[in-house]
Amino acid sequence: DTEETHSNMAARPPRFVFFVVFCITIGGLLFGYDTGVISGALVVIKDEWDLNSTQQEFIVGGTTLGAIVGGLFSGYFADRWGRRTITFLSSVVFILGALIMAFSKHYSVLIGGRVVVGLAVGAASMVVPIYIGELAPKEFRGRLVTLNVLAITGGQLIAYLVSWGLADVHDGWRWMFAISAFPAAIQLCCLPWLPESPRVLIQRGQDERAHTILQRIYGNKVPESTVDDELESMRRSMRTETAASYRDLLRTVNFKPLIVACMLQLMQQFSGFNTAMYYSATILKMAGFSSTKSATQFSIAIAATNMLMTIVAISIIDRFGRRKLLLISFTGMIIGLALLGIAFIFIVGLVKITKDTCGEYIKCGACALDDRCNWSPGSMVCAPKSSTLYTDLTDNCEPVNGRDKAGTWLALASLIFYVALYAVGLGNVPWLVQSEIFAQGIRSRAGSIATATNWVSNFIVSVTFLTMTLHITASGTFWLYAGILLLGLVFVFFMVPETKGLKLEDVQKLFAGTGLPYRRRAVSRKNSQSSSVVGSRSTSGEITNTQLLRGSQ
C-alpha cells in the first residue's frame, strides 16, 4: 500500500536523491570551511601583522557582514531566477573570495576578501535548506536537510585539520584560504546535472519537467499515482496562492512563523556557539593549552564532536522530532556554558581585563587577554610586551598547579559537552524548521529575512566576544550566553510546533488561527495523515493558501 511504499522509500531513497543532495550541500561545506578556517588562520595572522583584538574581530566579522547582505537579498533572486541559479552564483563568488584572501597583502584587502566570501556564505545558508526541503519527500525531509548541517560541520572539521597541518608552514594561512576554491569548483562541475526545484517549475508552468523530476526523486518503488498526487497537491497550492511581497510577511498568519524562524536563528547565534568555533584556538590558549598547535589540535576535537553529533541528529530527527531535540539541546547547552564559566574562574579568575598596568594581573590567562601584555613563566609576572627585563615573555599559558590543570580540563570537557548538545538540536533544527514553515509564495523571502537575522546576530556576537571577555570577564561572557539560552528555552516550549511527518503544504496551517502554535500539532498531523485538506472545516471556515499569504491583519 501507499504507506508501506513511502516507508520503503524513506529507508532507501534513490541514488539520484543522494547525488542531488551531495551537489547542493557542497555549499554547506564551503559555509563551514570559510567560517571555521579563520580560527586557525587568525592565530598566525595576528602575530604576523601585529593585530589588536578589534582588528581580529573585524577579520572574523568580515565574512559575517557579507553574509548579512548575501542572505538578505538571495531570497528575492531565488524567487526570480530559481534555486539552481543562486547555487551557481554562490559557487563563483566562493572562488573569487578565496583568491582575494589568498593573495591579500594588506589588512583591508583581507577584510574585503572575507566580505566577498561572506556574500556566498549568506546566499548558500539561505538557499541550500530551502532547495533540499522542496526537493525532499516529507518522509525523510528532516534527514536530508540536516545533511546540509553535516556538510557545514564537516567543512569546519576540514578547516581545523588544514589549519593544524599548515600551522608551521610559511604563508600557510594563505593556503588555508585558497583551498576553499576547490570544493566550489567541484560544485560548478555538478551543476549541469542538478535539477531545479519542482515547486519553482510549477510556478513557471513547467509541469511536465516537475513531474519528471518528482518521479526521479521518489524512485521506481513508488507508484506513479503517488507522484501524480504530490504534483496535484503542489498545483492546488499554487492555484490558491497569489503573488506575494515582503509586505505580506506582516500578515498575522505569516508573521507567526517568521517570528519563530527569526528567534531560532537569533538563539543559534546568541548561544555563542560560532564564537566558540571562530575563537576556539584562542579560547583554548586562554584555558592553558600552551602552544598554538596544541590549541588547534583540541579545536579539531571540538569540530569532530560537532560533526559526529550532527550524524546522531540525522539518525534521530525524524523519529524524535524537531521540538524535542530543541528542548534537549537548549537545556544541555545551558549546563555546558555554566560549567565553562566556572572553569575560567580557575584559569583566569573573575578579573576584568582593564588594568592600568600589566603588573596588576596575577594570572597568566588574564595577562594573555590584554593586548599590551605577555607572561613570564620563570618570574610568574605579567609585563609589557616591550619589556626587556624578562627574556621568557610569552602569550602561552602553561598550567602550573592542580587548580590550573583542573580548570584547563574542565574548560575542554565543558566546551565539548556544549558543542555536542548544540549539534544535536540548535545547530540544525533552525535551518530545517525555516525550510518547512512558510508557504511557497513567501518561502524564499521569509527565509532570507531569517537568514539575515542569523548573520546580523552572528556579526554582533563575533565582534563583541573578545571585548566582552575584557570588560565582564570570560566567565561572565559565557554565563550571559547561558542566560540568553534560558530565555530561548521558554520561547521554544511555548511557540515552536512539531513539524515532522507533515507535507510542506500542511506545515504552515499550524500557524493559522489563534492560540499557541505547538498546541495545534496533534490535529494537524491527524489531518495530514488522513490526506485531508488541513484546516478545511466548512465553506465559511476554510483556510486556503491565499489566506496563508494574505492572512488577516
mmCIF file of all heavy atoms in Angstrom, residues 504-541:
data_model
loop_
_atom_site.group_PDB
_atom_site.id
_atom_site.type_symbol
_atom_site.label_atom_id
_atom_site.label_comp_id
_atom_site.label_asym_id
_atom_site.label_seq_id
_atom_site.Cartn_x
_atom_site.Cartn_y
_atom_site.Cartn_z
ATOM 1 N N LEU A 504 4.908 20.005 3.191
ATOM 2 C CA LEU A 504 5.190 21.433 3.273
ATOM 3 C C LEU A 504 3.914 22.246 3.132
ATOM 4 O O LEU A 504 3.750 23.292 3.765
ATOM 5 C CB LEU A 504 6.186 21.845 2.177
ATOM 6 C CG LEU A 504 7.631 21.371 2.340
ATOM 7 C CD1 LEU A 504 8.477 21.842 1.170
ATOM 8 C CD2 LEU A 504 8.222 21.831 3.649
ATOM 9 N N GLU A 505 2.994 21.760 2.299
ATOM 10 C CA GLU A 505 1.738 22.482 2.093
ATOM 11 C C GLU A 505 0.857 22.483 3.332
ATOM 12 O O GLU A 505 -0.082 23.272 3.436
ATOM 13 C CB GLU A 505 0.963 21.889 0.907
ATOM 14 C CG GLU A 505 1.505 22.263 -0.459
ATOM 15 C CD GLU A 505 2.862 21.614 -0.765
ATOM 16 O OE1 GLU A 505 3.131 20.501 -0.269
ATOM 17 O OE2 GLU A 505 3.654 22.234 -1.493
ATOM 18 N N ASP A 506 1.136 21.562 4.284
ATOM 19 C CA ASP A 506 0.329 21.461 5.501
ATOM 20 C C ASP A 506 0.978 22.129 6.713
ATOM 21 O O ASP A 506 0.280 22.527 7.645
ATOM 22 C CB ASP A 506 0.069 19.987 5.849
ATOM 23 C CG ASP A 506 -0.833 19.305 4.829
ATOM 24 O OD1 ASP A 506 -1.593 20.021 4.159
ATOM 25 O OD2 ASP A 506 -0.743 18.071 4.691
ATOM 26 N N VAL A 507 2.306 22.236 6.698
ATOM 27 C CA VAL A 507 3.003 22.741 7.879
ATOM 28 C C VAL A 507 2.549 24.148 8.242
ATOM 29 O O VAL A 507 2.351 24.469 9.419
ATOM 30 C CB VAL A 507 4.534 22.719 7.656
ATOM 31 C CG1 VAL A 507 5.248 23.464 8.779
ATOM 32 C CG2 VAL A 507 5.039 21.285 7.581
ATOM 33 N N GLN A 508 2.349 24.992 7.223
ATOM 34 C CA GLN A 508 2.007 26.383 7.505
ATOM 35 C C GLN A 508 0.674 26.519 8.238
ATOM 36 O O GLN A 508 0.426 27.520 8.915
ATOM 37 C CB GLN A 508 1.946 27.203 6.212
ATOM 38 C CG GLN A 508 3.230 27.169 5.398
ATOM 39 C CD GLN A 508 3.232 26.010 4.418
ATOM 40 O OE1 GLN A 508 2.220 25.697 3.806
ATOM 41 N NE2 GLN A 508 4.375 25.359 4.264
ATOM 42 N N LYS A 509 -0.201 25.522 8.102
ATOM 43 C CA LYS A 509 -1.509 25.597 8.751
ATOM 44 C C LYS A 509 -1.400 25.537 10.277
ATOM 45 O O LYS A 509 -2.346 25.859 10.982
ATOM 46 C CB LYS A 509 -2.392 24.442 8.254
ATOM 47 C CG LYS A 509 -2.362 24.221 6.749
ATOM 48 C CD LYS A 509 -3.126 25.267 5.989
ATOM 49 C CE LYS A 509 -3.004 25.057 4.477
ATOM 50 N NZ LYS A 509 -3.490 23.789 3.977
ATOM 51 N N LEU A 510 -0.240 25.103 10.770
ATOM 52 C CA LEU A 510 -0.032 25.078 12.221
ATOM 53 C C LEU A 510 -0.121 26.480 12.821
ATOM 54 O O LEU A 510 -0.416 26.631 14.014
ATOM 55 C CB LEU A 510 1.343 24.490 12.559
ATOM 56 C CG LEU A 510 1.587 23.021 12.206
ATOM 57 C CD1 LEU A 510 3.060 22.693 12.346
ATOM 58 C CD2 LEU A 510 0.772 22.118 13.099
ATOM 59 N N PHE A 511 0.132 27.478 11.992
ATOM 60 C CA PHE A 511 0.184 28.855 12.496
ATOM 61 C C PHE A 511 -1.089 29.636 12.197
ATOM 62 O O PHE A 511 -1.189 30.810 12.534
ATOM 63 C CB PHE A 511 1.386 29.588 11.886
ATOM 64 C CG PHE A 511 2.697 28.986 12.269
ATOM 65 C CD1 PHE A 511 3.290 28.007 11.479
ATOM 66 C CD2 PHE A 511 3.340 29.371 13.429
ATOM 67 C CE1 PHE A 511 4.500 27.438 11.835
ATOM 68 C CE2 PHE A 511 4.547 28.809 13.797
ATOM 69 C CZ PHE A 511 5.131 27.839 12.999
ATOM 70 N N ALA A 512 -2.069 28.977 11.564
ATOM 71 C CA ALA A 512 -3.322 29.658 11.259
ATOM 72 C C ALA A 512 -4.197 29.743 12.502
ATOM 73 O O ALA A 512 -4.150 28.890 13.385
ATOM 74 C CB ALA A 512 -4.062 28.918 10.146
ATOM 75 N N GLY A 513 -4.995 30.776 12.595
ATOM 76 C CA GLY A 513 -5.908 30.935 13.726
ATOM 77 C C GLY A 513 -5.213 31.499 14.946
ATOM 78 O O GLY A 513 -4.100 32.002 14.889
ATOM 79 N N THR A 514 -5.877 31.384 16.077
ATOM 80 C CA THR A 514 -5.339 31.915 17.328
ATOM 81 C C THR A 514 -4.755 30.781 18.165
ATOM 82 O O THR A 514 -4.896 29.614 17.847
ATOM 83 C CB THR A 514 -6.442 32.624 18.129
ATOM 84 O OG1 THR A 514 -7.488 31.693 18.414
ATOM 85 C CG2 THR A 514 -7.009 33.809 17.335
ATOM 86 N N GLY A 515 -4.128 31.136 19.257
ATOM 87 C CA GLY A 515 -3.561 30.132 20.154
ATOM 88 C C GLY A 515 -2.093 29.886 19.862
ATOM 89 O O GLY A 515 -1.537 30.341 18.867
ATOM 90 N N LEU A 516 -1.459 29.139 20.753
ATOM 91 C CA LEU A 516 -0.047 28.830 20.617
ATOM 92 C C LEU A 516 0.163 27.781 19.534
ATOM 93 O O LEU A 516 -0.549 26.770 19.496
ATOM 94 C CB LEU A 516 0.522 28.325 21.951
ATOM 95 C CG LEU A 516 0.463 29.333 23.105
ATOM 96 C CD1 LEU A 516 0.933 28.670 24.395
ATOM 97 C CD2 LEU A 516 1.300 30.560 22.804
ATOM 98 N N PRO A 517 1.160 27.964 18.631
ATOM 99 C CA PRO A 517 1.359 27.029 17.523
ATOM 100 C C PRO A 517 1.565 25.588 17.964
ATOM 101 O O PRO A 517 1.063 24.664 17.333
ATOM 102 C CB PRO A 517 2.608 27.585 16.819
ATOM 103 C CG PRO A 517 2.602 29.037 17.151
ATOM 104 C CD PRO A 517 2.052 29.121 18.551
ATOM 105 N N TYR A 518 2.297 25.359 19.053
ATOM 106 C CA TYR A 518 2.632 23.981 19.407
ATOM 107 C C TYR A 518 1.416 23.178 19.818
ATOM 108 O O TYR A 518 1.397 21.950 19.719
ATOM 109 C CB TYR A 518 3.698 23.946 20.513
ATOM 110 C CG TYR A 518 3.170 24.060 21.934
ATOM 111 C CD1 TYR A 518 2.961 22.918 22.695
ATOM 112 C CD2 TYR A 518 2.882 25.298 22.495
ATOM 113 C CE1 TYR A 518 2.490 23.019 24.001
ATOM 114 C CE2 TYR A 518 2.415 25.406 23.787
ATOM 115 C CZ TYR A 518 2.218 24.270 24.533
ATOM 116 O OH TYR A 518 1.745 24.360 25.818
ATOM 117 N N ARG A 519 0.335 23.835 20.254
ATOM 118 C CA ARG A 519 -0.876 23.131 20.663
ATOM 119 C C ARG A 519 -1.684 22.623 19.480
ATOM 120 O O ARG A 519 -2.589 21.823 19.647
ATOM 121 C CB ARG A 519 -1.747 24.043 21.526
ATOM 122 C CG ARG A 519 -1.122 24.392 22.872
ATOM 123 C CD ARG A 519 -2.103 25.149 23.742
ATOM 124 N NE ARG A 519 -1.522 25.513 25.021
ATOM 125 C CZ ARG A 519 -1.461 24.707 26.082
ATOM 126 N NH1 ARG A 519 -1.947 23.477 25.990
ATOM 127 N NH2 ARG A 519 -0.929 25.114 27.214
ATOM 128 N N ARG A 520 -1.362 23.077 18.271
ATOM 129 C CA ARG A 520 -2.105 22.682 17.083
ATOM 130 C C ARG A 520 -1.486 21.469 16.391
ATOM 131 O O ARG A 520 -2.006 20.986 15.404
ATOM 132 C CB ARG A 520 -2.155 23.846 16.091
ATOM 133 C CG ARG A 520 -2.831 25.079 16.647
ATOM 134 C CD ARG A 520 -2.755 26.229 15.656
ATOM 135 N NE ARG A 520 -3.387 25.877 14.382
ATOM 136 C CZ ARG A 520 -4.685 25.951 14.158
ATOM 137 N NH1 ARG A 520 -5.501 26.343 15.127
ATOM 138 N NH2 ARG A 520 -5.180 25.626 12.994
ATOM 139 N N ARG A 521 -0.385 20.968 16.911
ATOM 140 C CA ARG A 521 0.361 19.901 16.240
ATOM 141 C C ARG A 521 -0.447 18.623 16.041
ATOM 142 O O ARG A 521 -0.495 18.062 14.952
ATOM 143 C CB ARG A 521 1.631 19.593 17.014
ATOM 144 C CG ARG A 521 2.381 18.379 16.481
ATOM 145 C CD ARG A 521 3.257 17.763 17.565
ATOM 146 N NE ARG A 521 3.841 16.536 17.065
ATOM 147 C CZ ARG A 521 3.642 15.350 17.602
ATOM 148 N NH1 ARG A 521 2.850 15.220 18.640
ATOM 149 N NH2 ARG A 521 4.220 14.282 17.114
ATOM 150 N N ALA A 522 -1.109 18.140 17.092
ATOM 151 C CA ALA A 522 -1.790 16.845 17.020
ATOM 152 C C ALA A 522 -2.889 16.846 15.969
ATOM 153 O O ALA A 522 -3.002 15.926 15.161
ATOM 154 C CB ALA A 522 -2.372 16.477 18.384
ATOM 155 N N VAL A 523 -3.704 17.900 15.952
ATOM 156 C CA VAL A 523 -4.790 17.978 14.983
ATOM 157 C C VAL A 523 -4.246 18.030 13.571
ATOM 158 O O VAL A 523 -4.732 17.364 12.671
ATOM 159 C CB VAL A 523 -5.664 19.225 15.274
ATOM 160 C CG1 VAL A 523 -6.709 19.396 14.191
ATOM 161 C CG2 VAL A 523 -6.327 19.095 16.627
ATOM 162 N N SER A 524 -3.189 18.819 13.367
ATOM 163 C CA SER A 524 -2.625 18.971 12.032
ATOM 164 C C SER A 524 -2.029 17.671 11.527
ATOM 165 O O SER A 524 -2.179 17.315 10.369
ATOM 166 C CB SER A 524 -1.567 20.073 12.039
ATOM 167 O OG SER A 524 -2.147 21.307 12.372
ATOM 168 N N ARG A 525 -1.344 16.934 12.395
ATOM 169 C CA ARG A 525 -0.767 15.653 11.978
ATOM 170 C C ARG A 525 -1.862 14.669 11.610
ATOM 171 O O ARG A 525 -1.766 13.931 10.647
ATOM 172 C CB ARG A 525 0.116 15.079 13.095
ATOM 173 C CG ARG A 525 1.510 15.667 13.114
ATOM 174 C CD ARG A 525 2.371 14.992 14.161
ATOM 175 N NE ARG A 525 2.391 13.541 14.002
ATOM 176 C CZ ARG A 525 3.157 12.899 13.124
ATOM 177 N NH1 ARG A 525 3.937 13.578 12.322
ATOM 178 N NH2 ARG A 525 3.146 11.587 13.054
ATOM 179 N N LYS A 526 -2.937 14.648 12.376
ATOM 180 C CA LYS A 526 -4.037 13.742 12.090
ATOM 181 C C LYS A 526 -4.639 14.052 10.729
ATOM 182 O O LYS A 526 -4.905 13.164 9.919
ATOM 183 C CB LYS A 526 -5.088 13.859 13.191
ATOM 184 C CG LYS A 526 -6.289 12.936 12.980
ATOM 185 C CD LYS A 526 -7.278 13.099 14.129
ATOM 186 C CE LYS A 526 -8.494 12.196 13.911
ATOM 187 N NZ LYS A 526 -9.487 12.356 14.988
ATOM 188 N N ASN A 527 -4.828 15.342 10.452
ATOM 189 C CA ASN A 527 -5.400 15.737 9.175
ATOM 190 C C ASN A 527 -4.469 15.387 8.022
ATOM 191 O O ASN A 527 -4.902 14.938 6.970
ATOM 192 C CB ASN A 527 -5.680 17.244 9.166
ATOM 193 C CG ASN A 527 -6.871 17.611 10.044
ATOM 194 O OD1 ASN A 527 -7.679 16.762 10.374
ATOM 195 N ND2 ASN A 527 -6.953 18.887 10.405
ATOM 196 N N SER A 528 -3.157 15.595 8.248
ATOM 197 C CA SER A 528 -2.195 15.306 7.184
ATOM 198 C C SER A 528 -2.148 13.824 6.869
ATOM 199 O O SER A 528 -2.120 13.417 5.722
ATOM 200 C CB SER A 528 -0.806 15.796 7.596
ATOM 201 O OG SER A 528 0.150 15.451 6.637
ATOM 202 N N GLN A 529 -2.161 12.993 7.892
ATOM 203 C CA GLN A 529 -2.057 11.553 7.695
ATOM 204 C C GLN A 529 -3.300 10.983 7.021
ATOM 205 O O GLN A 529 -3.251 9.966 6.337
ATOM 206 C CB GLN A 529 -1.814 10.863 9.035
ATOM 207 C CG GLN A 529 -0.424 11.125 9.591
ATOM 208 C CD GLN A 529 -0.260 10.650 11.003
ATOM 209 O OE1 GLN A 529 -1.217 10.229 11.646
ATOM 210 N NE2 GLN A 529 0.960 10.721 11.516
ATOM 211 N N SER A 530 -4.428 11.640 7.211
ATOM 212 C CA SER A 530 -5.665 11.158 6.579
ATOM 213 C C SER A 530 -5.837 11.755 5.199
ATOM 214 O O SER A 530 -6.856 11.558 4.550
ATOM 215 C CB SER A 530 -6.870 11.511 7.447
ATOM 216 O OG SER A 530 -6.995 12.909 7.549
ATOM 217 N N SER A 531 -4.799 12.529 4.721
ATOM 218 C CA SER A 531 -4.776 13.128 3.388
ATOM 219 C C SER A 531 -5.900 14.112 3.152
ATOM 220 O O SER A 531 -6.292 14.386 2.022
ATOM 221 C CB SER A 531 -4.819 12.035 2.298
ATOM 222 O OG SER A 531 -3.723 11.191 2.431
ATOM 223 N N SER A 532 -6.474 14.618 4.202
ATOM 224 C CA SER A 532 -7.498 15.645 4.037
ATOM 225 C C SER A 532 -6.838 16.991 3.950
ATOM 226 O O SER A 532 -5.674 17.144 4.248
ATOM 227 C CB SER A 532 -8.471 15.628 5.218
ATOM 228 O OG SER A 532 -7.802 15.956 6.404
ATOM 229 N N VAL A 533 -7.567 17.980 3.541
ATOM 230 C CA VAL A 533 -7.045 19.333 3.458
ATOM 231 C C VAL A 533 -7.040 19.925 4.840
ATOM 232 O O VAL A 533 -8.074 20.142 5.439
ATOM 233 C CB VAL A 533 -7.896 20.203 2.511
ATOM 234 C CG1 VAL A 533 -7.346 21.623 2.459
ATOM 235 C CG2 VAL A 533 -7.941 19.585 1.132
ATOM 236 N N VAL A 534 -5.826 20.198 5.372
ATOM 237 C CA VAL A 534 -5.714 20.702 6.727
ATOM 238 C C VAL A 534 -6.361 22.065 6.817
ATOM 239 O O VAL A 534 -6.135 22.938 6.006
ATOM 240 C CB VAL A 534 -4.239 20.802 7.141
ATOM 241 C CG1 VAL A 534 -4.111 21.384 8.532
ATOM 242 C CG2 VAL A 534 -3.596 19.447 7.051
ATOM 243 N N GLY A 535 -7.184 22.211 7.809
ATOM 244 C CA GLY A 535 -7.815 23.491 8.053
ATOM 245 C C GLY A 535 -9.175 23.613 7.414
ATOM 246 O O GLY A 535 -9.898 24.568 7.682
ATOM 247 N N SER A 536 -9.586 22.671 6.526
ATOM 248 C CA SER A 536 -10.897 22.792 5.919
ATOM 249 C C SER A 536 -11.939 22.236 6.858
ATOM 250 O O SER A 536 -11.907 21.093 7.241
ATOM 251 C CB SER A 536 -10.926 22.052 4.578
ATOM 252 O OG SER A 536 -10.693 20.690 4.758
ATOM 253 N N ARG A 537 -12.901 23.071 7.211
ATOM 254 C CA ARG A 537 -13.955 22.671 8.143
ATOM 255 C C ARG A 537 -15.310 22.875 7.499
ATOM 256 O O ARG A 537 -16.180 22.027 7.556
ATOM 257 C CB ARG A 537 -13.852 23.513 9.415
ATOM 258 C CG ARG A 537 -12.466 23.425 10.070
ATOM 259 C CD ARG A 537 -12.391 24.429 11.224
ATOM 260 N NE ARG A 537 -11.042 24.491 11.753
ATOM 261 C CZ ARG A 537 -10.103 25.287 11.261
ATOM 262 N NH1 ARG A 537 -10.346 26.063 10.243
ATOM 263 N NH2 ARG A 537 -8.909 25.294 11.799
ATOM 264 N N SER A 538 -15.457 24.064 6.910
ATOM 265 C CA SER A 538 -16.687 24.372 6.217
ATOM 266 C C SER A 538 -16.360 25.436 5.202
ATOM 267 O O SER A 538 -15.268 25.969 5.166
ATOM 268 C CB SER A 538 -17.726 24.913 7.203
ATOM 269 O OG SER A 538 -17.278 26.124 7.765
ATOM 270 N N THR A 539 -17.285 25.737 4.336
ATOM 271 C CA THR A 539 -17.016 26.732 3.316
ATOM 272 C C THR A 539 -16.641 28.064 3.929
ATOM 273 O O THR A 539 -15.728 28.744 3.489
ATOM 274 C CB THR A 539 -18.258 26.914 2.425
ATOM 275 O OG1 THR A 539 -18.607 25.671 1.867
ATOM 276 C CG2 THR A 539 -17.978 27.928 1.309
ATOM 277 N N SER A 540 -17.297 28.417 5.010
ATOM 278 C CA SER A 540 -17.024 29.699 5.647
ATOM 279 C C SER A 540 -15.752 29.676 6.453
ATOM 280 O O SER A 540 -15.150 30.707 6.676
ATOM 281 C CB SER A 540 -18.190 30.103 6.562
ATOM 282 O OG SER A 540 -18.345 29.134 7.576
ATOM 283 N N GLY A 541 -15.310 28.491 6.886
ATOM 284 C CA GLY A 541 -14.135 28.414 7.762
ATOM 285 C C GLY A 541 -12.912 27.873 7.080
ATOM 286 O O GLY A 541 -11.921 27.595 7.709
#
